[in-house]
Amino acid sequence: MILPFKFKLFALLAGIIFALSNSLGAQNSHGVNDNRILFGQSAVFSGPASELGLNLKTGIEVAFDEANQKGGVFGRRLVLEAKDDFYEPNQAVENTRDFINETQVFGLIGPVGTPTARVTAPIAEESGIPFIAPFSGAGFLRDREMFKSVVNLRASYQQEINSMIERLTQDRRISSIAVLYQNDSFGRVGYNGTLNALKIYGLELVGRSVYLRNTTAVKTALYDLKIKQPDAVIVVGSYEPVAEAIKWANKIDFNPVFMTISFVGANALASALGDQSYQDVYMTQVVPDFNDTSLEIANEYRKAMLQFDPGKDYGFGSFEGYLTGRLVVEAFKSCEDDLTRTCFLDNFRQTNVISVADIDFIFGEFDNQALDDVYLTQFRVGSGFTPVRSLNDN
């Protein structure tokens, strides 16, 4: 039987719509099957910044193991596949494209660093794939207009540096401040953030110095700063060069207040500093004290670490990873019959409070960052970085 033209056209259009629908459905269901939900983590697992990626990965895996023991997400296990990007943008791009095109993960989780996020977040955005809890406080990742697939957990670097300048000026009345930073996009974010924070108090930077990423060649940069004789130095880098800078300052009798941001990694920096006492070394943190027994979420973290990764030290890095994993599990609960990227991301694209134990992750239509609080810690020999209320809590 020969069909009229309009029926042929209708059948053709229906077929196209059906094919497109199936294609979009398949795209949204990437990384999900009847047994598991697969995530990919491209992060630094070797080299001078490796402890950052390793600790974050530990926390995510512990949260996933905890959820899987309870039945997973609607009967599906949460699985993490990790690839080392050495804290180098080119390798991060290769890993990300492999995760999206070959492994076909549901989402990217726990990437580490601003230089790597700058080149991989746009790839994730173009693919419509969740880019969850990057270990970076860079401002561009908080641009909701640019990135609709990015989900930030931590406070921004600007918020951390604002807190530093506030403490320096209010607690110690310090106005002579310099900055030492690694010469890349991460370091420049810290440098510009310091300039912005100083403007609030009508201050100007008294000195700046730079060093190469993924090196510990900071001696010359430190001597350059000593000439300026600042009372405080904000250091923006990974833990090995930061530790080297503090050690060299001690050797050359240069004793400013050293302040650094959470990216450095508290456990890693404390280990790198060793058993030498340093009077004024501080680090801001973006998650609460993991040892606070009054916090239910901290108690659950320590219990999960003890059960699923015994022998590993507790720390701010793995605690942040654990919070990330718990946030992912909670976000899936609204998607029982629709385990797609779209449903998952909708949790973060509208005004929404996602509660896990006694911590609230708050999102809004124009706010893709869950937490805003900044905490102060001080290095103490034998105890690492411990919480303090001010720079005068010696």
Side-chain angles (χ1 to χ4, degrees), residues 282-318:
Y282 296 89
M283 183 186 299
T284 47
Q285 306 295 345
V286 293
V287 295
D289 178 13
F290 53 85
N291 276 321
D292 187 346
T293 56
S294 69
L295 286 177
E296 181 184 353
I297 188 65
N299 293 334
E300 291 181 0
Y301 155 75
R302 294 193 307 276
K303 180 180 177 181
M305 286 284 288
L306 190 61
Q307 180 176 0
F308 297 105
D309 206 341
K312 281 286 182 68
D313 291 335
Y314 305 143
F316 290 102
S318 58

Side-chain angles (χ1 to χ4, degrees), residues 31 42 135 162 164 211 234 263 284 286 288 293 375 377:
S42 176
F135 196 76
N162 286 352
M164 290 181 191
Y211 65 91
I234 292 175
F263 178 85
T284 47
V286 293
T293 56
Y375 309 87
T377 60

